Amino acid sequence: MLAEATEPRTGVPRRQAVAVGALTVIVAAVYSVYSLLRFWAFRTTTYDLVIFDQAVRSYSRLHLPVAIVKGVHNGFGAHFTVLGDHFSPILALLAPLYWIHDGPQTLLVAQSVLLALAIVPLWAFTRRRLGSGPAYCVSAVYALAWPVAETLAFDFHEMAFAPVLSMLMLERHEAGRRWQSAAAAGALLLVKEDMGLLVAGFGFYLLTRRGERRRAVLLVVAGVFWTWLASRVLIPAFGGSADYYWAYDALGRDLPHAAAGALTHPWTVGKLLVTPHVKVTTMLWLVAPLLLLPLLSPITLSVLPLLAERMLSSRFGHWWEPRFHYNVALTALLVAAGVDGAARLARLLPRLRRRPGLRERPGLGQRLRLGRPLPRAEHVWPVAALAATLVVVPHFSFGRFAEPGFYRRDARARAAAAILPAVPDGALIEAPNGIGPQLSGRTRVLLWDDRPRWAPWVLADVAAQDFPFPSLQAQRDRVSLLRREGYSVVRQQDGYVLLNRPGSVPDLNPG
């Protein structure tokens, strides 16, 4: 009988390599369909899709990643580069894609592919620990995980790079490819300024491994130093504020005071971790579908610094919720920790059965004699975790797949689609948060917000309250102001009003 064909470098049978490749392609395609349907149905938003679209477009033209919509709305000015908001130079890798298709849909597909690519190193890691069969199950657990769903349901973010790079960092290390692991860790630092905490967490995990202390200490020091450097030096160098996202006033006014506060008042730290209760809910959602097995693995140490960064904050409540994109950087490593926990449990159970005083369960010997052995513990967890994940799916964004309305535009989306052709290409336009992405590929989009910018074109919404206006009446008052100032109505439909004032000089200054 001929041996199964094997790929020479990895030792993976060719049939398995093709299978995991096909699974990855299928998952990327499903993710892309989900994201593009949301875009088509006007469910994406200026904050944050247009921000990244403008930034990557600037990269594609060999400029710094300027996002006029972010700079003007947040008071940094029209030439603000997003490197002054979050230090994410890895986004430049997406610029060549804009030479093929220049529009936000490109980012949505790229994000789908990046999130799906994490399946490959996760499958390889699981195959090494549990075998190839469980590896496919575990891949499905990740593919259906709610943090991935919530990331896809909130436009595009740089965190799409985190699952595949963090998983490569772990899997390549476990495969003995230390330099490849280090390269993945280095790339991870370029995803966002706080990814140094994930690299430092990986160092904490390596501290539990024999003979890895020097490498572990290097990763911890490098990760913490990079987060400090990116946050305190590089972001201000690109026009941002080092304290813009400071959210730890309950511990201290800056990092030294917060560290001192945490050491002298540990009970405050404990209280912050569980207050408000949504923090506890989110942390439970992270491990409960994995049947708590990540808690048996030291790999979980990798995610703790990054998780603590959010859960110790006393403002920016969206950081704590089981929504948005904030949890996806933890997901692949937590699934891998579940795999490791299952392997550890499988090794532990036989030892417990051999302990004196423990009797064999009635009927067990008979089942073995009849040729029906009990399932191996390491094979039970992947199936059980997949079942738990499937139960969770309807409670998060992938549940929309089962809703007929997900595949249709509502009346207002149809009205918006009908009015947009009246906006000329290349125009500078203020647009509502839910409309900006549809215009971003062919116009310069500003957020229609609570301050008039006097752009030549304005698309207003007088039928539904829109971010960031405090009320619907404020939006209607704005339209009245614009008309008094010489804007004329070009077209209106179902609550949308398109206005134009030729020759209008926009006010894009900060303040």
Side-chain angles (χ1 to χ4, degrees):
M1 183 175 179
L2 295 176
E4 187 173 8
T6 300
E7 199 280 322
R9 292 186 179 181
T10 64
V12 176
R14 194 175 304 278
R15 182 179 299 174
Q16 293 181 12
V18 170
V20 73
L23 175 63
T24 303
V25 169
I26 291 169
V27 170
V30 172
Y31 288 174
S32 297
V33 168
Y34 177 83
S35 299
L36 293 174
L37 273 172
R38 292 188 71 256
F39 179 85
W40 172 79
F42 286 75
R43 297 189 184 103
T44 54
T45 53
T46 297
Y47 265 58
D48 294 331
L49 184 54
V50 173
I51 295 172
F52 287 103
D53 179 52
Q54 293 179 348
V56 176
R57 181 173 296 109
S58 291
Y59 271 133
S60 74
R61 296 172 181 175
L62 306 183
H63 300 149
L64 286 174
V66 171
I68 186 174
V69 66
K70 175 75 176 179
V72 171
H73 174 66
N74 289 102
F76 291 109
H79 302 290
F80 179 69
T81 163
V82 295
L83 292 172
D85 182 38
H86 292 299
F87 194 73
S88 306
I90 201 167
L91 290 173
L93 294 179
L94 302 178
L97 300 178
Y98 269 55
W99 303 339
I100 302 170
H101 181 271
D102 186 345
Q105 303 97 314
T106 299
L107 293 182
L108 298 177
V109 174
Q111 176 172 254
S112 299
V113 172
L114 286 167
L115 290 173
L117 282 175
I119 289 173
V120 177
L122 177 61
W123 180 88
F125 174 85
T126 307
R127 177 181 178 272
R128 196 175 296 118
R129 294 295 179 92
L130 303 181
S132 57
Y136 295 111
C137 241
V138 170
S139 298
V141 169
Y142 165 80
L144 295 170
W146 67 264
V148 176
E150 296 306 301
T151 299
L152 292 166
F154 185 32
D155 301 340
F156 170 90
H157 291 89
E158 70 287 308
M159 299 304 286
F161 286 91
V164 62
L165 290 176
S166 61
M167 199 59 231
L168 280 170
M169 179 175 66
L170 172 63
E171 189 277 328
R172 290 291 78 195
H173 183 275
E174 298 295 303
R177 307 290 186 176
R178 301 295 194 262
W179 285 109
Q180 293 177 9
S181 174
L188 194 57
L189 295 177
L190 303 180
V191 172
K192 196 178 176 186
E193 65 276 5
D194 60 357
M195 287 298 101
L197 299 179
L198 198 58
V199 172
F202 186 64
F204 289 138
Y205 159 62
L206 292 187
L207 283 173
T208 68
R209 303 285 298 269
R210 184 176 302 175
E212 300 279 8
R213 183 166 299 176
R214 182 177 300 179
R215 184 176 290 104
V217 171
L218 178 62
L219 286 171
V220 172
V221 172
V224 172
F225 173 74
W226 175 260
T227 292
W228 174 85
L229 179 70
S231 301
R232 311 302 299 184
V233 178
L234 297 178
I235 285 177
F238 283 99
S241 170
D243 296 317
Y244 193 77
Y245 291 105
W246 181 256
Y248 310 97
D249 292 332
L251 294 172
R253 67 176 183 269
D254 53 29
L255 185 58
H257 287 87
L263 291 173
T264 56
H265 298 84
W267 52 88
T268 301
V269 173
K271 183 178 179 181
L272 282 171
L273 286 172
V274 298
T275 307
H277 294 310
V278 67
K279 294 180 178 180
V280 178
T281 301
T282 297
M283 289 187 280
L284 284 175
W285 274 118
L286 285 170
V287 294
L290 302 173
L291 309 182
L292 307 183
L293 257 64
L295 302 181
L296 298 180
S297 170
I299 294 175
T300 299
L301 293 172
S302 301
V303 308
L304 293 185
L306 193 60
L307 184 63
E309 176 200 29
R310 293 161 45 218
M311 297 305 166
L312 289 176
S313 66
S314 51
R315 62 190 185 101
F316 298 126
H318 50 284
W319 288 4
W320 316 324
E321 299 179 30
R323 295 194 298 153
F324 308 117
H325 58 289
Y326 300 104
N327 297 289
V328 78
L330 317 177
T331 304
L333 288 176
L334 281 174
V335 175
V339 170
D340 184 55
R344 290 170 181 271
L345 186 62
R347 293 193 299 267
L348 178 63
L349 288 177
R351 298 177 193 172
L352 294 176
R353 289 172 184 159
R354 290 195 295 266
R355 287 178 57 186
L358 288 181
R359 298 178 60 185
E360 195 177 70
R361 249 174 44 184
L364 176 59
Q366 181 181 8
R367 289 184 64 186
L368 292 172
R369 287 193 299 272
L370 292 173
R372 298 195 302 271
L374 290 174
R376 293 171 60 184
E378 65 268 34
H379 292 174
V380 171
W381 177 80
V383 175
L386 179 56
T389 300
L390 288 170
V391 170
V392 168
V393 164
H395 299 280
F396 290 93
S397 293
F398 282 161
R400 297 296 307 277
F401 272 122
E403 300 174 7
F406 179 69
Y407 304 92
R408 297 192 297 265
R409 285 174 170 171
D410 62 22
R412 301 218 68 220
R414 292 193 296 272
I419 208 171
L420 292 186
V423 180
D425 291 349
L428 179 67
I429 181 169
E430 299 173 56
N433 191 44
I435 307 299
Q438 305 289 332
L439 290 165
S440 188
R442 62 183 186 88
T443 68
R444 298 171 67 211
V445 173
L446 300 174
L447 181 66
W448 187 54
D449 61 14
D450 49 5
R451 176 184 166 186
R453 308 294 176 180
W454 309 114
W457 291 85
V458 177
L459 180 57
D461 187 350
V462 295
Q465 185 177 345
D466 198 67
F467 167 82
F469 283 90
S471 66
L472 179 59
Q473 186 58 47
Q475 296 168 212
R476 292 170 175 167
D477 291 343
R478 170 65 58 76
V479 172
S480 298
L481 172 65
L482 294 175
R483 298 191 69 172
R484 289 197 302 271
E485 293 295 328
Y487 281 80
S488 59
V489 175
V490 176
R491 189 169 179 179
Q492 54 186 339
Q493 186 167 343
D494 199 22
Y496 291 113
V497 182
L498 180 63
L499 304 109
N500 173 239
R501 187 173 71 174
S504 181
V505 178
D507 177 12
L508 306 181
N509 295 316

